Amino acid sequence: MASGGGDAKSLTQWLREKGFDEETIGRMTRRCKNLPNLDAGEASGVWDYLLNHVKIEQRKLRYVVTKCPKVLTVSVDGKLIPTVQCLTTLQAKPGEVAQAVVKFPPILFHSVEQKLCPLLAFFQTLDISDKQLAKLLMVNPRLISYSIEGKFSQTVDFFVSLGIEKEGMIGKILTKEPYILGYSVDKRLRPTAEFLKSEVGLQGTDLQRVIMNFPGILSRDVNKTLRPNFMFLKSAGFSKDQIMALVAGYPLVLIKSIKRCLEPRVKFLVEEMGRDKGEAVDYPQFFRHGLRKSLEYRHKILKQMNSTCSLSEMLDCNQKKFAMKFGLIATV
């Protein structure tokens, strides 16, 4: 029954040899009630498989076992091997399965037939390929623990209610932002969408475009992040229509740091560049550019040359193209 040469020693002794101290062993024992009854040889077999076949680094494997000691109780032949093989056949890249286990060790506990197969079938209805599903699971392995009816279907129905097509479009959102599936529709996604509609003023295709381009905005807390940014832009003199245009053109304006990004850029635009705030509305990506490396540098060059241009002409190019455009280097 025991394997890996550990049958002559106690589990506690074996854990000590693997680098676990007494306090950690005690915590692991309290967390996993079956651990004290585990044979050291069986634990050694699991450890060796995860170390040598799944290729989890020893330091990270120690973290996995500390975080989830139940891993040591899983049958290698009956559970670990078929689960790992299934994850690997999803076209996961080398090393990704190991990363997924480190992120979410319980991925090893779920039944291939009862969880992975229905999950594959569900995502196929959203035009998500096996390869894309592999990416989703490798990035956010916790997905395997969610209920299809209780979690995934609700999220899909929510996107459909916003006018986003189930086939193709929703799949693109999920592959772009895998963690969005972990958020509650009622507690996070819907309130955020309502804020974007009612307070920011985004409707129809504008709202859909924002969500398609930056789905992560739906996972942000309205009161902690989005509304403070909205109120700052309002206090800075932008009208509601202008804020709506800014968000539609560059959604990240609602999540950028006010102190480190928005405030210094608005101040520089008005006080140093002498431009109207409306120019940022015409080119919302203005808030994407670095203050010192891009804005200050290029403004200084244009000022020295006594040259004027729009924000997009000034910023919508890399440094080399900027230099060529304004004659700083000879064109080839």
Side-chain angles (χ1 to χ4, degrees):
M1 184 175 177
S3 61
D7 27 349
K9 64 184 73 169
S10 70
L11 179 67
T12 301
Q13 183 183 352
W14 179 84
L15 287 169
R16 286 197 202 103
E17 290 176 359
K18 294 301 179 185
F20 297 92
D21 58 38
E22 297 298 326
E23 183 181 348
T24 302
I25 294 172
R27 193 164 58 246
M28 289 163 57
T29 302
R30 290 190 296 272
R31 191 174 294 170
C32 179
K33 294 180 180 180
N34 293 330
L35 199 62
N37 301 321
L38 184 66
D39 186 276
E42 293 173 312
S44 182
V46 172
W47 181 278
D48 291 344
Y49 179 78
L50 294 174
L51 184 71
N52 300 317
H53 295 276
V54 183
K55 304 294 184 184
I56 300 177
E57 296 175 24
Q58 187 154 309
R59 173 179 58 85
K60 292 182 178 179
L61 182 54
R62 195 178 295 115
Y63 164 80
V64 167
V65 172
T66 302
K67 183 179 179 182
C68 187
K70 184 181 175 182
V71 165
L72 292 177
T73 70
V74 178
S75 165
V76 174
D77 293 326
K79 193 69 177 174
L80 289 185
I81 291 177
T83 301
V84 169
Q85 286 178 342
C86 181
L87 292 172
T88 304
T89 55
L90 283 175
Q91 302 180 26
K93 296 177 182 177
E96 283 187 333
V97 173
Q99 292 172 17
V101 173
V102 173
K103 285 181 182 177
F104 185 64
I107 195 174
L108 296 172
F109 307 152
H110 291 281
S111 166
V112 173
E113 294 81 8
Q114 294 178 10
K115 293 294 290 189
L116 282 178
C117 295
L119 205 58
L120 280 169
F122 176 79
F123 281 110
Q124 282 172 354
T125 66
L126 302 175
D127 287 344
I128 295 178
S129 66
D130 289 0
K131 187 175 182 179
Q132 288 173 317
L133 176 57
K135 181 182 177 183
L136 278 169
L137 284 174
M138 296 305 107
V139 173
N140 186 12
R142 191 177 294 273
L143 292 177
I144 200 171
S145 68
Y146 297 150
S147 161
I148 290 177
E149 290 302 319
K151 192 74 170 174
F152 296 136
S153 294
Q154 288 185 16
T155 304
V156 169
D157 290 343
F158 163 73
F159 283 120
V160 171
S161 73
L162 296 178
I164 297 172
E165 295 180 10
K166 183 176 180 180
E167 294 182 6
M169 295 298 98
I170 294 177
K172 288 180 181 179
I173 289 174
L174 300 183
T175 51
K176 184 178 286 188
E177 185 61 35
Y179 290 104
I180 205 167
L181 284 164
Y183 289 91
S184 165
V185 171
D186 292 327
K187 293 180 180 179
R188 180 56 60 85
L189 304 186
R190 186 171 288 116
T192 303
E194 287 303 316
F195 169 81
L196 294 173
K197 288 192 288 184
S198 61
E199 295 193 42
V200 178
L202 294 172
Q203 299 292 333
T205 56
D206 284 337
L207 177 63
Q208 293 159 15
R209 192 180 304 113
V210 165
I211 293 172
M212 286 296 302
N213 292 336
F214 183 58
I217 196 170
L218 288 174
S219 65
R220 304 306 171 110
D221 187 279
V222 170
N223 293 321
K224 290 181 180 178
T225 305
L226 305 186
R227 185 170 286 118
N229 281 37
F230 176 81
M231 296 307 295
F232 166 78
L233 292 171
K234 202 172 180 180
S235 67
F238 292 98
S239 69
K240 185 172 180 178
D241 286 344
Q242 287 179 321
I243 296 173
M244 181 177 67
L246 282 173
V247 175
Y250 186 60
L252 275 73
V253 76
L254 281 181
I255 69 167
K256 289 284 189 179
S257 166
I258 293 173
K259 292 295 182 185
R260 294 195 300 270
C261 178
L262 303 186
E263 191 172 33
R265 280 161 181 74
V266 171
K267 185 177 180 180
F268 185 78
L269 177 72
V270 176
E271 296 181 8
E272 297 297 326
M273 301 180 77
R275 294 175 183 256
D276 186 88
K277 288 187 287 290
E279 292 197 50
V281 178
D282 295 332
Y283 183 67
Q285 289 78 15
F286 165 77
F287 291 99
R288 175 175 64 86
H289 294 276
L291 187 58
R292 290 184 175 84
K293 292 184 178 180
S294 188
L295 299 180
E296 291 181 359
Y297 168 74
R298 296 189 186 189
H299 172 65
K300 181 181 177 181
I301 295 295
L302 293 174
K303 192 173 181 180
Q304 290 173 347
M305 297 175 63
N306 197 28
S307 178
T308 58
C309 65
S310 68
L311 285 179
S312 61
E313 290 173 324
M314 170 186 171
L315 298 168
D316 203 15
C317 56
N318 59 31
Q319 294 286 47
K320 183 177 180 180
K321 289 182 179 179
F322 172 80
M324 293 172 63
K325 182 186 292 187
F326 293 97
L328 302 179
I329 58 175
T331 56
V332 179

